[in-house]
Amino acid sequence: MKRSRLEAAAVCGLLALLVTACSSSGSTPGADSDIASAASSTDVKCGLSNGQKATGAPIKVGAIATMSNGIDFSSAPKSAKAFFDCVNANGGINGRPVEYSFEDDALDPQKASALATKFASDPSVVAMTGGASFIACAGNQPIFEKANLFDILGVGVPKPCFYSKNMSALNAGPRLSLISAAQMLVKDAGIKSFASGDYPIPGLGDWVKDGAQQYAKASGTTLSYFDLVPPPIKDATSLVTNLSKKKPDAMILGFAASDNATYLKAAEQQAIGDSVKFSSLTPSYDTTFPDQIGPYWNGKFYS
């Protein structure tokens, strides 16, 4: 099976431009610059920037993401699609459009492997990019390696996404994100102990927990406990009751945004936000999240 390395390189170059575009905008005091105001059309640079629709032979690119069964990480491939749509409307890659498609692994490793096999068995698919799966990386690596297919993930979650030969994730990942949250709470809030939680997915919850334990040891703080809870969270009240009993200085939520919201609503019912600092990883860094959790958490929750 042969794939065009030139086409794949062009797609990877476009993804690099996407990352640059998303991180380079003017600043607005007191607000995130990317949501404070809509970008003008002159700010968008994509494709050949010529305003002409690409009509040549399509370049196929795929992605696999977890988008159901309690976890929705569709924002990563949807963002990639929006960018490729812009590329295609502005000359494409030297006149050729990117034909981008993404699939839902439904939090099922077998389905993820089947989807990887489908993409890998199609020699016209030159690259994978923009994916965001909670379970696919470990099983998909040997499939992609055999097919000489490479995957630049929009969001990497479990450990194999960051340690696989044919995959590279653009984010820091949940382990480093949790450590960053803990560092912020130690520095800015002076916490001495913290608790956390994640999903019991192989290469995820255990890996993040190990990072929390190592940071606690290095920083002289205490990891009070670490919850491993299958998605979606169904009994947040019991989790919060346990948090109230253990009384750590802070709770760092490692779940998907919807489960973080469920947890915080239960915490609000017990008014525990008045005595425990709350933080989370990047899934809660979303413009819709404040409305999901309500005004009680103003000044009490950090993402």
Side-chain angles (χ1 to χ4, degrees), residues 3-107:
R3 301 181 192 278
S4 169
R5 293 188 178 183
L6 182 60
E7 291 173 344
V11 171
C12 292
L14 279 176
L15 189 66
L17 288 174
L18 168 60
V19 175
T20 302
C22 289
S23 61
S24 59
S25 55
S27 61
T28 301
D32 294 316
S33 58
D34 61 336
I35 62 175
S37 61
S40 69
S41 59
T42 56
D43 294 328
V44 180
K45 303 294 183 183
C46 53
L48 300 178
S49 299
N50 59 11
Q52 298 178 7
K53 184 177 180 180
T55 58
I59 300 172
K60 289 187 177 181
V61 181
I64 298 170
T66 301
M67 300 185 287
S68 60
N69 280 349
I71 295 176
D72 183 3
F73 262 36
S74 62
S75 60
K78 285 178 180 177
S79 297
K81 183 182 185 304
F83 182 71
F84 287 135
D85 286 347
C86 182
V87 168
N88 294 343
N90 286 276
I93 300 177
N94 293 328
R96 299 179 62 184
V98 175
E99 185 179 312
Y100 184 65
S101 62
F102 55 94
E103 301 277 2
D104 176 16
D105 64 28
L107 206 63

Side-chain angles (χ1 to χ4, degrees), residues 172-188 215 252 279-282:
R175 180 180 168 115
L176 292 182
S177 293
L178 180 142
I179 292 172
S180 296
Q183 287 175 326
M184 184 277 290
L185 289 165
V186 168
K187 178 178 180 293
D188 295 344
Y215 173 73
I252 304 172
S279 181
S280 80
L281 310 191
T282 53

